[in-house]
Amino acid sequence: MPLIHRKKPTEKPSSPPSEEVVVPDEDSQKKPHESSKSHHKKSNGGGKWSCIDSCCWFIGCVCVTWWFLLFLYNAMPASFPQYVTERITGPLPDPPGVKLKKEGLKAKHPVVFIPGIVTGGLELWEGKQCADGLFRKRLWGGTFGEVYKRPLCWVEHMSLDNVTGLDPAGIRVRAVSGLVAADYFAPGYFVWAVLIANLAHIGYEEKNMYMAAYDWRLSFQNTEVRDQTLSRMKSNIELMVSTNGGKKAVIVPHSMGVLYFLHFMKWVEAPAPMGGGGGPDWCAKYIKAVMNIGGPFLGVPKAVAGLFSAEAKDVAVARAIAPGFLDTDIFRLQTLQHVMRMTRTWDSTMSMLPKGGDTIWGGLDWSPEKGHTCCGKKQKSNETCGEAGENGVSKTKPVNYGRIISFGKEVAEAAPSEINNIDFRGAVKGQSIPNHTCRDVWTEYHDMGIAGIKAIAEYKVYTADEAIDLLHYVAPKMMARGSAHFSYGIADDLDDPKYQQPKYWSNPLETKLPNAPEMEIYSLYGVGIPTERAYVYKLNQSPDSCIPFQIFTSAHEEDEDSCLKAGVYNVDGDETVPVLSAGFMCAKAWRGKTRFNPSGIKTYIREYNHSPPANLLEGRGTQSGAHVDIMGNFALIEDIMRVAAGGNGSDIGHDQVHSGIFEWSERIDLKL
Amino acid sequence: MPPLLRFRKLSPFYEDTVNPKAKQSATVEKPKRRRFRRCSCVDSCCWLIGYLCTAWWLLLFLYHSVPVPAMLQAPESPGTRLSRDGVKALHPVILVPGIVTGGLELWEGRPCAEGLFRKRLWGASFTEILRRPLCWLEHLSLDSETGLDPPGIRVRAVPGLVAADYFAPCYFAWAVLIENLAKIGYEGKNLHMASYDWRLSFHNTEVRDQSLSRLKSKIELMYATNGYNKVVVVPHSMGAIYFLHFLKWVETPLHDGGGGGGPGWCAKHIKAVVNIGPAFLGVPKAVSNLLSAEGKDIAYARSLAPGLLDSELLKLQTLEHLMRMSHSWDSIVSLLPKGGEAIWGDLDSYAEEGHNCIYSKRKSSQLSLSNLQRQNYSIKPESRVKEPAKYGRIISFGKRAAELPSSQLSMLNIEELSRVDCTSNVSTSCGEFWSEYNEMSRESIVKVAENTAYTATTVLDLLRFIAPKMMRRAEAHFSHGIADDLDDPKYGHYKYWSNPLETKLPDAPEMEMYCLYGVGIPTERSYIYKLATTSGKCKSSIPFRIDGSVDGDDICVKGGTRFADGDESVPVISAGFMCAKGWRGKTRFNPSGMETFVREYKHKPPGSLLESRGTESGAHVDIMGNVGLIEDVLRIAAGASGQEIGGDRIYSDVMRMSERISIKL
């Protein structure tokens, strides 16, 4: 705008020579500032703008423009953006809330949301000196402003105690409560907000909608020990059911919330000291349906990489683009190491380690997803994929997904007989400490010494079972803490009394579902996005780095369609959770009356094929299948709303499957 | 002002080096320079703005980077001190906010409120009032028939501690108390804000939102998860009577519309109720609010700039709109003075008799005068030399009516007046505005105002006459009398539950009742009204106005309002009487004889601007930042009993006032 302003005066009739113009101009300059006047006198009407002046002028221009735009933005009618979007992309479909309201749907069953890991906000209740003035401010979620302002202080407050997995002394960080806990993760980045807004259209409000926020850093049983979160959830569900005329609740967990709610269902029916004492029919009495969104029932391979080397696909890609940058020790930042130290104190990350071992995730030479072809992102239609398969001359070599971690690309592809395993489990940990600077940062790697590191690299290939052993070896303290709260096996005999311990409750392969034949369990998840499934690693000999292992980012396949990208083997899923983990329980293990589902609770699988937003205006899209963005998927929202308004699985159309989940489930040989 | 300095330093240098060049350019590049010159006005504006912005940022930066000097550092907060003394969180704490301080957010609205879903309409920055005032009014008003949501609009209370920690940015309500509680170990699991929609009648909060059921379930949960330690409830202002309602509701059986907790629920779950600035017996402010949507502030503003607020320029009618909105809120009726003339005084006598305006400078003379008066009063009340403020006349029309002895007042029987249908009189330009005043004839308005005074009892009749619909709706939910026989089965109805004079406290001998309130601030006690002058073409919608021109000889009357001691909103008598007398010992209102304590906090205005709202304030809301009060609340929450924190602490003459009030106990 200032440009236009500036042009206007020049259109006036030309004025007398400059010497005379100077005088009135000087007068006008008197007003703004005295100093400007003196300045002009000194410069004798000649040069006008010093460097600082032009800087100020520039800042002024920018400010004025900014205010003007801000004013326009505020004066703009609220429907304007929508109008623009509709002009460009054609009329938008009604959001599901409006559509279903027209159909006459009304709020019926109370709805409980259970947020996943990372998405829930955390706020400070008591802190060290450095966190002054942050009382009841969000440390996690919101703007993350504090991460930049005082990073070390932030890391210190977000970490838990190494030994107990609870609060460190003098620090209390607690979950934000209420719907605000996870409606938006960061400003403008919705998590539950779209779903909440749509539910509100058909009459939901605070009294029949409840966000069961919990401190997602803690192990599940510790949330009860420290915050009594499970008790609160029980009391709130009971209250909502009784104040809504006895209508049972619909539970909507997302991501890790799925495991948390599995834990809750066991806890609530367990007798009092350990459990909630709700009695054996509590779930049957209070729960109508559990609608799991993107549930990592059987864990995610990402968790292994996260714990092993504090990195995942994104970090690995960043490293491939700018090698050396993340690893260098300039400024003594050691970002990754700090992140690793922090995340390793969080017990909850261990709840997401792959469960079921080789039986589920595949061994050295087989995996349930065998034969899966990764279509490049560019190919949208499934046909090109299918053709490649039919011809039998698929250019891609079969991928050994079962090898979750392999050292070197050759090993990842070699036949099982060719791999020389030297058992690392007995290997003595060396005494030598490779790098002293790493002492600042707590990881357990410096206890391992060079010998231990070598032993690990020489073992070459790790399957799901061995990956757990590997973590036990690499981070014994952390895993000792974690295995007190979580278990990753498969139960042989579910009636064994040992399975009454809380550590088994969040593992669907070691617990029975509650006795509630009328309950329904849904598994809703996105498909069609490459999802991390296995990793190629290398030893990192760089002296600057404290983490001796790294994803081998240069492991590429020339082929566009390859599943191997930057050291990561991808498979179908929702970008975070592979289809197998999200779908297997509902597709096979709980289908019908099985030993995991003794009362024959009905299960449904609803997959949503990912289709990326057509243009920038759509933001994160209304048909996304990505792990978090799926919460804005209209089809998913509609399904949830129909169930909340009283529908059941057959009303919304039974299963809806796009991936090969049933085929893959068949390959898994599990006693049912 | 660092940029200025920098600028000056630079200029000599500039002269020496740049000047020749500039001269050169002036001669060589004439046309270009001319262009430059002409736009210099806009340019220099930009320059100035840039200058100011830079200076501002620099100062802001300095402000953030410079450590706070020791002298500016706040004194140690009570929480830190007590925490060092080993005081630890013990009993779970429930906070019950009062009227107005709780936030309200939109869940469903008309098209005009698009984009405001789950945004605060009440509380926080109130920007929407300025942007779309009429839309805002429409959404905050309730249905004038039912007192519930209008169709298509759902505005709900914000849940959680954020509901009332700050009322507006930087204007704390509960935030200071919460912070201090956190210092001794409180957090989400043992600290809960029982927010409710404060516009509704108390019973309706349960009907619509199940707020009472939620509160009950929350208390039971916190009791169970905190090692079976009873809860400490801290209600503020109207929250005190809301919680009184709850106490009765929770023990009433389900089939009688109660919570079904059974007798003994309170004894089992509640350790103490620590009422802050409780409006147990109502506030006179509510009368003027309902009668003419104004309080002393507005009356004062009007006397400064007469005509401004009343003019119909721009068709603003602010007050009328506010009145229409507040008439749709049942909760305001809950704050009307309770107990009638027995508590608030009749035409001639009143409890505060002998009250001297302690905040006035003429302390000594007043004191002797009031002593004199008291002696006179006991002998021959009719022959006083100078009539003292007659607080009992809550509304008097004209200054004369306020001072005349009762025998000379015209006795008006309101029931006889007819509400003549006079729609023909109303000009169309005023007709768009809803007010029940439109249905009253001018004659009856004049008659109502003719030389009369109203006491706490008759003022209810006046309101019933003026706004029959509102009072009919609200009186189904609230009652303002005194019970003769508390065992009368009619008192089982919920409308009596929030009136301490018509309910018994629960049977919980170990429970403690505290009344914590500020004193030492002039508080509205009664009003002098006048008829509003009818302006030109149409009858003003609100025919009554506080007569802002009346200033008394003594300091107690100012701007048409009479003041008594209190915390700026609640007079001492309303806040303290129940704890000082009504419930003290075993009375019929307190059959189990639970202990009561009166703790007063003398108002001390902040010493300097730096202290902002002060740490020793006694004002109605600011008292929540009072260190003395915070310490008391913390100690009680950590397990201390009333005796341990020092029993009663009294500055006002609440005891003497209570003595003078004779009700059957």
Side-chain angles (χ1 to χ4, degrees):
Chain A
M1 291 324 286
L3 261 178
I4 299 169
H5 282 288
R6 285 185 64 190
K7 273 178 193 156
K8 268 181 191 160
T10 54
E11 286 162 16
K12 283 176 193 167
S14 66
S15 46
S18 54
E19 301 299 319
E20 289 169 41
V21 187
V22 172
V23 184
D25 259 356
E26 259 184 15
D27 285 346
S28 71
Q29 300 251 344
K30 262 181 204 166
K31 282 171 212 161
H33 217 281
E34 255 195 338
S35 57
S36 74
K37 187 185 113 193
S38 65
H39 161 196
H40 272 273
K41 271 184 184 164
K42 276 170 191 158
S43 64
N44 205 11
K48 281 138 301 263
W49 301 87
S50 74
C51 177
I52 288 179
D53 283 334
S54 2
C55 276
C56 288
W57 172 82
F58 179 70
I59 292 170
C61 281
V62 171
C63 284
V64 171
T65 322
W66 175 249
W67 290 332
F68 184 70
L69 288 176
L70 211 68
F71 172 76
L72 279 185
Y73 176 77
N74 277 320
M76 179 178 70
S79 58
F80 187 69
Q82 199 193 345
Y83 172 76
V84 171
T85 319
E86 279 185 12
R87 284 308 291 266
I88 296 173
T89 62
L92 292 172
D94 268 345
V98 178
K99 183 179 139 198
L100 295 180
K101 192 184 180 186
K102 278 181 199 152
E103 280 183 27
L105 260 67
K106 281 256 169 315
K108 192 171 171 197
H109 297 277
V111 175
V112 177
F113 306 117
I114 302 175
I117 197 168
V118 174
T119 45
L122 299 174
E123 60 187 12
L124 184 75
W125 278 83
E126 186 183 339
K128 298 265 163 75
Q129 197 81 49
C130 69
D132 247 9
L134 293 182
F135 177 67
R136 285 186 56 222
K137 297 270 185 309
R138 283 200 184 194
L139 289 188
W140 188 270
T143 55
F144 283 98
E146 297 311 318
V147 182
Y148 304 105
K149 278 194 194 157
R150 23 195 160 177
L152 284 180
C153 183
W154 184 82
V155 167
E156 184 186 352
H157 282 83
M158 285 299 295
S159 300
L160 293 171
D161 190 278
N162 260 328
V163 180
T164 60
L166 293 168
D167 289 325
I171 292 178
R172 281 186 292 151
V173 173
R174 296 289 180 265
V176 177
S177 61
L179 291 176
V180 283
D183 53 351
Y184 288 92
F185 175 56
Y189 189 85
F190 70 81
V191 180
W192 293 92
V194 180
L195 184 56
I196 292 172
N198 279 299
L199 282 169
H201 273 297
I202 61 167
Y204 279 93
E205 53 190 77
E206 208 69 57
K207 70 174 172 187
N208 41 18
M209 225 168 12
Y210 164 63
M211 177 80 73
Y214 57 100
D215 188 337
W216 46 262
R217 301 171 304 159
L218 300 182
S219 74
F220 303 155
Q221 192 64 16
N222 272 346
T223 61
E224 171 66 12
V225 170
R226 196 192 72 180
D227 299 337
Q228 283 85 42
T229 313
L230 297 173
S231 301
R232 286 199 212 186
M233 203 155 116
K234 171 171 176 254
S235 144
N236 262 313
I237 292 176
E238 285 168 356
L239 170 71
M240 285 186 6
V241 169
S242 75
T243 55
N244 282 286
K247 304 216 173 56
K248 298 183 200 171
V250 171
I251 318 286
V252 188
H254 174 235
S255 186
M256 192 179 79
V258 168
L259 301 177
Y260 190 67
F261 194 71
L262 274 182
H263 186 94
F264 174 81
M265 283 196 290
K266 284 308 273 190
W267 172 86
V268 75
E269 298 197 343
M274 197 90 90
D281 59 345
W282 194 94
C283 291
K285 226 159 65 189
Y286 290 104
I287 300 175
K288 170 183 156 55
V290 185
M291 307 196 76
N292 303 293
I293 304 176
F297 284 107
L298 303 177
V300 286
K302 216 176 180 175
V304 177
L307 289 173
F308 190 50
S309 63
E311 56 190 353
K313 194 166 61 172
D314 323 323
V315 175
V317 168
R319 180 176 286 130
I321 293 171
F325 179 71
L326 272 172
D327 308 316
T328 48
D329 210 6
I330 317 171
F331 310 126
R332 302 181 61 87
L333 277 177
Q334 299 183 311
T335 321
L336 276 188
Q337 285 85 340
H338 279 296
V339 169
M340 186 157 174
R341 180 178 60 159
M342 182 170 79
T343 49
R344 278 196 174 181
T345 65
W346 297 347
D347 286 341
S348 60
T349 49
M350 283 176 273
S351 73
M352 313 263 276
L353 287 176
K355 286 166 191 160
D358 294 2
T359 316
I360 301 289
W361 295 94
L364 284 178
D365 53 348
W366 77 280
S367 66
E369 291 106 327
K370 201 164 197 175
H372 170 71
T373 47
C374 299
C375 312
K377 277 181 197 165
K378 288 163 202 164
Q379 290 155 297
K380 260 187 195 165
S381 58
N382 291 329
E383 290 153 37
T384 46
C385 270
E387 278 165 28
E390 280 165 27
N391 293 344
V393 283
S394 169
K395 292 164 281 176
T396 49
K397 294 163 225 160
V399 181
N400 296 311
Y401 286 118
R403 305 170 186 182
I404 287 188
I405 289 180
S406 28
F407 278 90
K409 193 181 156 199
E410 299 75 30
V411 183
E413 287 162 4
S417 53
E418 294 165 26
I419 302 172
N420 263 345
N421 284 341
I422 301 164
D423 206 346
F424 66 94
R425 274 163 269 223
V428 188
K429 294 185 178 183
Q431 288 298 310
S432 69
I433 295 149
N435 193 332
H436 280 279
T437 55
C438 299
R439 274 285 175 198
D440 311 345
V441 175
W442 183 89
T443 68
E444 292 184 51
Y445 279 122
H446 52 245
D447 292 335
M448 245 164 51
I450 293 167
I453 292 169
K454 271 240 173 68
I456 287 170
E458 273 163 12
Y459 190 67
K460 304 291 185 199
V461 169
Y462 298 85
T463 61
D465 273 335
E466 288 156 346
I468 306 286
D469 291 341
L470 171 69
L471 287 173
H472 268 292
Y473 180 75
V474 166
K477 285 186 208 156
M478 174 188 79
M479 290 304 284
R481 205 179 64 222
S483 52
H485 290 290
F486 301 107
S487 165
Y488 312 104
I490 299 179
D492 287 328
D493 175 17
L494 280 165
D495 294 323
D496 192 329
K498 80 166 181 177
Y499 289 116
Q500 282 161 17
Q501 281 189 14
K503 69 182 254 189
Y504 298 105
W505 290 346
S506 61
N507 183 353
L509 298 172
E510 291 177 308
T511 46
K512 292 185 220 171
L513 286 180
N515 179 24
E518 283 170 24
M519 207 169 108
E520 293 173 319
I521 294 185
Y522 295 80
S523 198
L524 317 160
Y525 55 89
V527 292
I529 310 183
T531 306
E532 295 158 69
R533 176 68 168 80
Y535 300 89
V536 179
Y537 264 86
K538 66 167 182 188
L539 263 182
N540 177 21
Q541 251 88 21
S542 146
D544 289 336
S545 178
C546 303
I547 302 175
F549 307 106
Q550 264 185 11
I551 295 179
F552 185 41
T553 46
S554 44
H556 268 296
E557 213 54 64
E558 295 78 41
D559 188 1
E560 266 291 304
D561 288 355
S562 165
C563 292
L564 178 62
K565 286 223 169 59
V568 179
Y569 284 103
N570 292 314
V571 77
D572 201 5
D574 69 356
E575 204 167 17
T576 301
V577 183
V579 166
L580 190 66
S581 175
F584 175 70
M585 291 313 292
C586 283
K588 190 172 174 201
W590 285 336
R591 200 48 48 119
K593 265 196 189 176
T594 68
R595 65 190 182 113
F596 300 110
N597 179 9
S599 64
I601 294 171
K602 286 206 185 77
T603 62
Y604 301 94
I605 289 192
R606 306 280 297 170
E607 292 185 347
Y608 304 90
N609 217 345
H610 177 69
S611 80
N615 53 42
L616 268 180
L617 282 170
E618 279 185 22
R620 290 157 67 201
T622 55
Q623 295 169 50
S624 176
H627 192 57
V628 176
D629 294 358
I630 200 174
M631 314 270 272
N633 187 312
F634 280 4
L636 175 129
I637 292 175
E638 195 180 321
D639 285 350
I640 292 177
M641 288 175 73
R642 285 191 187 279
V643 173
N648 59 33
S650 42
D651 291 341
I652 63 169
H654 294 285
D655 292 340
Q656 168 185 307
V657 176
H658 300 286
S659 72
I661 177 67
F662 282 116
E663 190 189 331
W664 296 340
S665 304
E666 275 315 301
R667 287 200 200 122
I668 293 173
D669 177 31
L670 179 73
K671 195 180 92 187
L672 291 178
Chain B
M1 290 280 89
L4 239 178
L5 289 176
R6 215 195 288 166
F7 189 84
R8 285 213 181 116
K9 258 186 217 159
L10 203 87
S11 42
F13 165 78
Y14 179 86
E15 203 178 10
D16 295 338
T17 57
V18 184
N19 236 6
K21 261 189 206 165
K23 266 181 188 166
Q24 220 175 19
S25 69
T27 49
V28 176
E29 295 176 275
K30 248 186 191 170
K32 195 180 172 186
R33 215 192 89 203
R34 195 187 298 155
R35 189 178 160 266
F36 207 97
R37 280 267 128 220
R38 284 224 203 77
C39 31
S40 61
C41 182
V42 174
D43 281 343
S44 47
C45 275
C46 285
W47 172 82
L48 184 73
I49 290 167
Y51 216 71
L52 293 176
C53 285
T54 322
W56 174 247
W57 289 332
L58 202 77
L59 286 176
L60 212 68
F61 175 75
L62 283 176
Y63 173 78
H64 277 294
S65 56
V66 170
V68 186
M71 56 166 287
L72 287 185
Q73 228 138 35
E76 194 180 36
S77 65
T80 320
R81 203 177 64 240
L82 291 177
S83 158
R84 219 180 31 239
D85 293 350
V87 175
K88 278 264 160 297
L90 182 70
H91 298 278
V93 172
I94 306 262
L95 310 174
V96 186
I99 197 167
V100 174
T101 44
L104 299 174
E105 61 187 12
L106 184 73
W107 277 85
E108 185 182 340
R110 300 267 158 83
C112 72
E114 207 183 295
L116 294 181
F117 176 66
R118 287 186 56 223
K119 296 270 185 311
R120 283 203 182 190
L121 290 188
W122 188 272
S125 55
F126 285 102
T127 42
E128 294 310 320
I129 302 185
L130 302 175
R131 283 169 77 178
R132 23 193 161 179
L134 285 179
C135 183
W136 183 82
L137 280 171
E138 185 185 352
H139 282 82
L140 273 179
S141 301
L142 293 170
D143 191 282
S144 58
E145 294 291 326
T146 60
L148 292 167
D149 288 327
I153 293 178
R154 281 186 292 151
V155 173
R156 296 289 179 267
V158 177
L161 290 176
V162 282
D165 54 350
Y166 288 92
F167 175 57
C170 298
Y171 187 86
F172 69 81
W174 293 91
V176 180
L177 186 59
I178 292 171
E179 195 166 344
N180 280 295
L181 282 167
K183 293 235 169 76
I184 62 167
Y186 281 93
E187 59 191 53
K189 69 173 172 185
N190 46 14
L191 181 62
H192 173 68
M193 175 86 72
S195 60
Y196 55 98
D197 189 338
W198 46 262
R199 301 170 304 159
L200 299 181
S201 74
F202 304 155
H203 181 67
N204 275 343
T205 60
E206 171 66 12
V207 169
R208 197 192 71 180
D209 300 335
Q210 286 87 42
S211 300
L212 297 173
S213 300
R214 282 154 164 253
L215 182 55
K216 171 170 176 263
S217 141
K218 200 81 202 175
I219 291 177
E220 286 167 353
L221 170 70
M222 286 170 74
Y223 172 70
T225 55
N226 284 286
Y228 299 97
N229 280 310
K230 298 181 195 175
V231 300
V232 169
V233 183
V234 187
H236 174 236
S237 185
M238 191 179 81
I241 47 180
Y242 185 68
F243 196 72
L244 218 57
H245 184 91
F246 174 82
L247 285 178
K248 199 71 190 162
W249 172 86
V250 75
E251 296 203 339
T252 305
L254 280 171
H255 55 82
D256 290 340
W265 191 95
C266 295
K268 187 179 163 198
H269 291 98
I270 299 174
K271 167 187 157 44
V273 183
V274 187
N275 302 291
I276 301 177
F280 279 128
L281 301 178
V283 285
K285 221 176 179 174
V287 177
S288 71
N289 200 309
L290 287 174
L291 205 57
S292 62
E294 55 190 355
K296 80 174 169 198
D297 315 323
I298 289 177
Y300 188 66
R302 179 177 286 124
S303 70
L304 284 182
L308 181 73
L309 272 171
D310 307 317
S311 65
E312 277 176 45
L313 287 177
L314 309 173
K315 295 181 80 82
L316 274 176
Q317 298 184 309
T318 321
L319 280 185
E320 284 79 358
H321 279 298
L322 281 179
M323 181 155 158
R324 179 170 56 158
M325 183 169 77
S326 60
H327 271 212
S328 74
W329 296 345
D330 284 341
S331 59
I332 291 188
V333 178
S334 78
L335 290 172
L336 286 177
K338 287 167 190 160
E341 292 173 6
I343 301 288
W344 295 94
D346 55 27
L347 288 175
D348 291 316
S349 68
Y350 50 91
E352 281 102 333
E353 196 144 338
H355 166 69
N356 44 60
C357 300
I358 35 172
Y359 28 83
S360 79
K361 284 163 195 161
R362 298 173 289 167
K363 208 172 179 178
S364 50
S365 64
Q366 284 267 323
L367 194 68
S368 58
L369 185 67
S370 58
N371 282 340
L372 187 76
Q373 280 162 10
R374 202 162 49 244
Q375 284 160 4
N376 280 349
Y377 178 65
S378 53
I379 309 161
K380 36 179 184 174
E382 298 296 288
S383 66
R384 267 169 289 183
V385 189
K386 182 170 169 292
E387 284 293 314
K390 281 201 167 19
Y391 289 119
R393 302 172 186 181
I394 288 193
I395 301 288
S396 21
F397 280 93
K399 201 178 168 192
R400 264 189 76 238
E403 286 167 1
L404 277 176
S406 56
S407 52
Q408 292 172 36
L409 286 172
S410 67
M411 293 323 285
L412 179 74
N413 192 350
I414 284 183
E415 274 81 47
E416 285 170 12
L417 283 178
S418 56
R419 291 180 61 87
V420 186
D421 188 332
C422 65
T423 36
S424 53
N425 292 354
V426 184
S427 66
T428 44
S429 67
C430 313
E432 58 185 270
F433 172 72
W434 178 91
S435 148
E436 294 188 57
Y437 281 124
N438 288 349
E439 294 160 24
M440 275 170 72
S441 67
R442 185 74 201 163
E443 294 74 53
S444 50
I445 288 173
V446 171
K447 236 177 181 170
V448 160
E450 216 166 54
N451 198 27
T452 45
Y454 297 90
T455 64
T457 311
T458 51
V459 87
L460 288 175
D461 297 332
L462 175 67
L463 282 171
R464 272 178 215 130
F465 174 70
I466 285 170
K469 278 188 208 154
M470 177 197 72
M471 290 302 278
R472 218 177 299 132
R473 191 187 71 224
E475 292 205 306
H477 290 285
F478 297 108
S479 164
H480 303 92
I482 299 182
D484 288 326
D485 174 18
L486 279 165
D487 293 322
D488 191 328
K490 80 168 181 174
Y491 289 115
H493 191 271
Y494 57 77
K495 74 182 220 185
Y496 299 104
W497 292 347
S498 62
N499 183 354
L501 299 171
E502 289 176 311
T503 44
K504 293 184 214 171
L505 286 181
D507 178 26
E510 284 171 24
M511 207 170 112
E512 292 170 321
M513 272 294 210
Y514 293 84
C515 289
L516 280 53
Y517 54 89
V519 293
I521 309 182
T523 307
E524 294 160 67
R525 176 67 170 80
S526 63
Y527 300 90
I528 296 161
Y529 265 73
K530 66 173 180 190
L531 271 180
T533 46
T534 39
S535 58
K537 56 182 176 158
C538 96
K539 183 175 77 176
S540 174
S541 312
I542 304 175
F544 307 116
R545 293 276 190 240
I546 292 177
D547 192 351
S549 62
V550 176
D551 279 325
D553 319 319
D554 53 10
I555 200 84
C556 292
V557 182
K558 200 165 176 235
T561 313
R562 285 214 172 104
F563 296 100
D565 198 5
D567 68 357
E568 204 166 15
S569 288
V570 183
V572 166
I573 193 144
S574 171
F577 173 73
M578 290 315 291
C579 286
K581 191 173 174 198
W583 289 331
R584 184 83 11 136
K586 262 196 189 177
T587 68
R588 64 191 183 112
F589 300 113
N590 178 12
S592 67
M594 64 175 74
E595 277 192 284
T596 61
F597 300 94
V598 177
R599 306 273 298 169
E600 294 184 345
Y601 303 88
K602 194 147 197 184
H603 177 68
K604 206 166 143 192
S608 64
L609 266 182
L610 283 173
E611 283 183 29
S612 67
R613 290 158 68 198
T615 53
E616 287 172 90
S617 175
H620 192 59
V621 176
D622 294 356
I623 199 174
M624 314 256 267
N626 185 309
V627 278
L629 177 130
I630 291 175
E631 193 179 324
D632 287 348
V633 173
L634 258 56
R635 282 189 188 282
I636 295 166
S641 70
Q643 298 304 334
E644 280 161 6
I645 63 166
D648 287 344
R649 174 175 129 158
I650 294 174
Y651 296 100
S652 71
D653 27 351
V654 60
M655 287 302 182
R656 222 170 53 223
M657 283 182 217
S658 307
E659 277 313 301
R660 217 169 284 134
I661 294 172
S662 60
I663 56 171
K664 198 177 87 187
L665 288 177

